[in-house]
């Protein structure tokens, strides 16, 4: 299997809900930014990605790199996709229209990095020439009470060798 990287999602490239901009923060005095996700309310961050035409043939996945900020952390992650079609007379950008949830449960121990991979089986009909909005959310109700910090994410498609049509050298 091969990975065709479609986009890197960084904390500083995220769009946070109004009034929640303080969730984008630096780790200590480093230059590393994270998006913090709370445990008592649904927290989300969204990215808008241009879709490259005529290349998608595989299974879409997202790899989340995160850590429990201060204790062992059980987390339910939800990823939703929304396709935005340019030159559409019916596209209402003022209204969110995300597809149904792609969900995964995972655990991180005491501040160590963790990778969670979620297959995007619900991708809102991503197709040629559209833009994709990806919303990553943490669902409340896990067993812990601490913060979770998203370090970054990678959106990719997983394709087998027969589908891989990359340049040969």
């Amino acid at each position: 299997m091969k990975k065709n990287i479609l986009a890197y999602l960084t904390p500083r490239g995220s769009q946070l809900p109004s009034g929640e901009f303080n969730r984008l923060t630096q780790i200590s005095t480093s230059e590393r930014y994270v998006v913090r996700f709370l445990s008592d309310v649904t927290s989300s961050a969204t990215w808008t990605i241009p879709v490259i035409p005529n290349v998608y043939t595989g299974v879409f996945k997202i790899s989340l790199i995160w850590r429990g900020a201060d204790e062992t952390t059980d987390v339910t992650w939800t990823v939703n996709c929304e396709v935005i079609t340019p030159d559409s007379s019916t596209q209402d950008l003022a209204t969110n229209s995300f597809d149904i949830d792609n969900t995964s449960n995972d655990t991180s121990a005491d501040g160590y990095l963790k990778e969670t991979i979620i297959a995007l089986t619900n991708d809102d009909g991503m197709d040629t020439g559209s833009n994709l909005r990806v919303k990553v959310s943490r669902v409340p109700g896990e067993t812990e009470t601490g913060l979770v910090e998203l370090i970054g994410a990678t959106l990719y498609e997983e394709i087998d060798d027969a589908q891989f049509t990359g340049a040969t050298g």
Side-chain angles (χ1 to χ4, degrees):
M1 298 300 276
K2 305 246 190 248
K3 285 185 182 179
N4 182 21
I5 305 296
L6 306 176
Y8 294 106
L9 310 179
T10 66
R12 292 182 78 177
S14 66
Q15 301 157 354
L16 299 175
S18 178
E20 296 184 19
F21 302 114
N22 62 338
R23 290 186 23 241
L24 176 65
T25 189
Q26 286 179 286
I27 298 175
S28 186
T29 59
S30 75
E31 293 296 318
R32 181 172 293 127
Y33 282 84
V34 297
V35 176
R36 289 191 167 164
F37 289 80
L38 309 173
S39 62
D40 55 347
V41 296
T42 298
S43 302
S44 67
T46 305
W47 291 262
T48 301
I49 303 156
V51 176
I52 303 165
N54 297 323
V55 297
Y56 303 122
T57 58
V59 176
F60 297 102
K61 294 187 176 185
I62 191 166
S63 166
L64 305 175
I65 304 298
W66 61 281
R67 71 178 189 153
D70 50 20
E71 58 191 55
T72 299
T73 306
D74 296 323
V75 176
T76 300
W77 290 108
T78 298
V79 179
N80 300 90
C81 298
E82 177 187 31
V83 169
I84 300 172
T85 306
D87 301 321
S88 171
S89 61
T90 60
Q91 188 80 50
D92 180 6
L93 295 180
T95 304
N96 289 329
S97 178
F98 287 98
D99 204 345
I100 60 176
D101 296 348
N102 300 282
T103 302
S104 180
N105 299 306
D106 216 336
T107 301
S108 174
D110 291 334
Y112 294 105
L113 290 181
K114 178 73 178 182
E115 178 183 34
T116 300
I117 296 174
I118 302 172
L120 301 179
T121 54
N122 304 307
D123 65 10
D124 199 32
M126 188 186 332
D127 64 356
T128 300
S130 296
N131 293 303
L132 179 67
R133 292 182 69 216
V134 176
K135 181 172 75 171
V136 176
S137 304
R138 178 189 184 185
V139 179
E142 296 92 22
T143 58
E144 50 57 61
T145 58
L147 291 171
V148 170
E149 297 173 332
L150 183 68
I151 311 300
T154 305
L155 178 67
Y156 65 96
E157 68 172 331
E158 193 170 74
I159 55 178
D160 61 35
D161 292 339
Q163 291 173 302
F164 187 70
T165 58
T168 59

